[in-house]
Amino acid sequence: MLLPMEPVLKTKTETLDIEGMTCASCAAFVEKSLSRTPGVQRALVNYATEKATIDYLPTEATPAALRQAVVSAGYSVVERAPDTSAAERSAELDRQKALAYQQLKRRFWVATGLAIVIMPLSMLMLWPALMARVNMPVLNYALLLLTLPVLAYSGREFYVSAWNGFKHRAANMDTLIAVGTGAAFLYSLAATVVPDFFTSRGLIPEVYYDTTATIIALILLGKVLELRAKTQTSAAMRSLMGLQAKTARVVRPDGQEVDVPIEQVQLGNIVLVRPGEKVATDGIITDGQSSLDEAMLTGESLPVTKKTGDPVFGATLNKTGSFRFEVTKVGADTMLSQIVKLVEDAQGSRAPIQRLADKVSAIFVPTVVVIAILTFVLWFDLAPAETRLPLALVNFVAVLIIACPCALGLATPTAIMVSTGKGAEHGVLIRNAEALEKAYQVNTVLLDKTGTITRGEPAVTDFVAPGQDGAQLLQVVAAVERQSEHPLAEAVVRHADDQGGDKLTATDFRAVEGKGAAATVDGQAVLIGNRRLLSDEGITLSPELKVLAEQLLSQAKTVLYVAVAGQAVGLLGVADTVRDTSAAAIKKLQALGIEVVMMTGDNPQTAAQVAGQVGIIRYFAEVLPADKAGKVKELQGEGRIVAMVGDGINDAPALAQADIGLAVGSGTDVAMEAAGITLMRSDLNGVVTAIELSRQTIRTIKQNLFFAFIYNTLGIPVAAGLLYPFFGILLSPMLAAAAMALSSVSVLANSLRLRSFDNH
Amino acid sequence: MDTSQIIVTIVGLGLSAFVIWYFFFSARQTASAVSSSSGVQQVDITVKGGYSPDIIEVEKGKPVQLSFYRDEENSCSEELLLPDFSIRRDLPAFKTTLVELLPETAGTFPFTCGMGMLRGSLVVK
């Protein structure tokens, strides 16, 4: 017998990172302080790992009290959260990013405000009359004072980051800015503090405070714009993650309905969903029916009707009816989480097209620094003695500032980010950047007929009952078939239900193995099945029915024969039907210049008929499952880049063999594993979307890379003064800064154009 | 060529040589993974203007757990990419982010920041 148990006092465990312990006795001290805290049952402090593990009663102690105990012992607790879930991490990151954006904006405005003052002051020399009245050293000191905050506050991050990078033998964009502005500033500082050093050597002690301040302001402007655009690249992902329901209405075994936070929902729970509510997690309907909007997961805009036994997915929207479902998946296993993970992984992948850019990025910054040093040396050696130092300096700074590794680094990933997110919005899941690039090159699409062009399930296409009340007979047949479990019977019932009419009941149901079924409806014996069933019962077909049957058979349809009271009275033609969207989608693919080829296990007649129906010219018939991959190879042998579209397990080898495999989402996990792209929606329009999206993405990436390479290969020599000997053109470092700020923003803006992608 | 030009030339060339050596050829910090009792190879990596250590040696066929602690706010390091393992992670500042993977083939696999400026490599032996 079970007795009501005393509620067990549950302890919680907390791990704290402790800072400041210098010896083992410190650890003992912290341990003592923690143990004395009320509610703590056990405290262990490890000096080596600097961690404290505390078991405590959550009813008596709180994590804050534990921290307080450590602090009162004279040590501090480091907030170093262990690994967190993706959602928490992204929330934390969003918070940090929002904060960083605010700070960045403030730094930008400070720099801009001061630069606006510094610029005109520096230009006083343009008015000699004015200059005569101004004390030069005083003006320089004033400019120095105004520039200092720009460096120390607005530009601080550049110097810190450059120094941190330098310690790691790494150089980044900040290195270039730090060295460039640092050089200009230090030169100006020297000219301000020890002008005599310059004048004694016949040089004018010029200052470049305006250059320093303006460069920092402009680069910060670029960063502000960049950050703003960057948050938009992952907008689709964020909205996907935001779809997750927060609570679920769980029905307890006693019938009580309780709203429960989504984290507490467990497998096997029964969840109630009312009209207009979000489905909390994945499961199977146990009771009720409704139509659901699954557009957020599949891209399918029409609501889907679901009834008992059908699967439902978290984050989809219930439209009309109420239903209950049994939870089959929670947390990371749900369809939504899988999609998010797939998209996240895809965003982390590298496109082969990027390889060159990656190689260049890796050596970019140090190379630019070397070019800048050589520029300085050449100008110093070749320019007239009186101007050589300022010219060398200005060009040195310009080279450093104009070089933009960011444009190279952003070119591909931003486009991939936007397009994988966009794909998910349309129910097209792209496994990685390579898949996207392959889809771009595709010139032949091989479709597996069953389940892609066709629905992959039988449907009644013809019903003939010469000289009978057709509607009445259909209901009689349906009454028998409703009790059968044969897939063909299901098709008949579905057809009858679609036609409407009063439902009848059948008695004495009997399934005849391999032939059909028999039952009594309205007191009459009804037979439905293949021809053997009728001939075994000694029933013959009328000549008219015989002709009709031949016709249906010649169209590669399965024929069901119906006999009532010992008389053959009607025929049903059953076939796998072509999806409504197939013909239009195939036409669109052909319009994209892609040859569409079909393969099927059916006989050549059926194959020809389906191919003709959807406008396919080339097809392979009677392909055994094991030969599917071979057919892909055959097409590849013709020099084609082949995309294979399939859904079944036996498609997996063909999907893997193809240059790019597209798995139709209604298919199996195995097929999705082998596929580069998964279509959540079971229609061929997804193939069109995938290919159009890949084409636009790769085009965008190519434009970005072209721009980034051209910008840097033209910009750096011009900044170095290559045009000076011929045209007398020198690039001011301030213009260089403006160009640099705009270049990375341009690349981002170009990638963001993909957000307007729409295949309709 | 006057004296100062000679000095500038020599110093400039020397500096260039130093930059090339320092960034491309100087020895890097290498660390081997420590296997925990459960057989997971663990490595702690600090992210601050770069990865330290930036060459990580692990054994083939055993799960690897990399703990990235991002010790800065600089936006350069906010993304971590391990393209060969199809991993992209956002690293929140001043937090540890765990990255788990199973190296199945030997080789050198780079990991970088979002723009490929900060680099490290995972050497699978």
Side-chain angles (χ1 to χ4, degrees), chain A residues 80 83 89 92-93 96-97 161 164-166 168-169 174 345 347-348 350 358 362 366 373 380-381 388 405, chain B residues 2 4-5 8-9 12 22-23 26 28 48-49 52 74 81 83 86 88-90 92-93 96 98 117 119:
Chain A
R80 192 188 284 201
D83 192 38
R89 210 167 49 232
E92 169 68 20
L93 208 74
Q96 288 186 355
K97 275 186 180 160
S161 159
N164 283 334
F166 184 77
H168 285 94
R169 292 156 207 267
D174 294 336
D345 284 350
Q347 295 183 337
R350 278 305 217 219
D358 274 350
I373 294 172
F380 196 85
D381 288 350
R388 65 189 183 188
Chain B
D2 61 26
S4 52
Q5 278 173 323
V8 163
T9 309
Y22 186 78
F23 287 108
S26 61
R28 308 230 156 203
K48 191 175 184 181
S52 35
N74 188 303
L81 295 179
S86 220
R88 188 189 77 86
R89 288 280 190 291
D90 286 330
T96 300
L98 293 185
M117 296 282 123
R119 317 192 134 244

Side-chain angles (χ1 to χ4, degrees), chain A residues 446-463:
Chain A
L446 181 58
L447 302 171
D448 186 24
K449 188 206 86 179
T450 311
T452 57
I453 300 177
T454 63
R455 286 178 213 279
E457 54 181 25
V460 173
T461 53
D462 303 83
F463 174 56

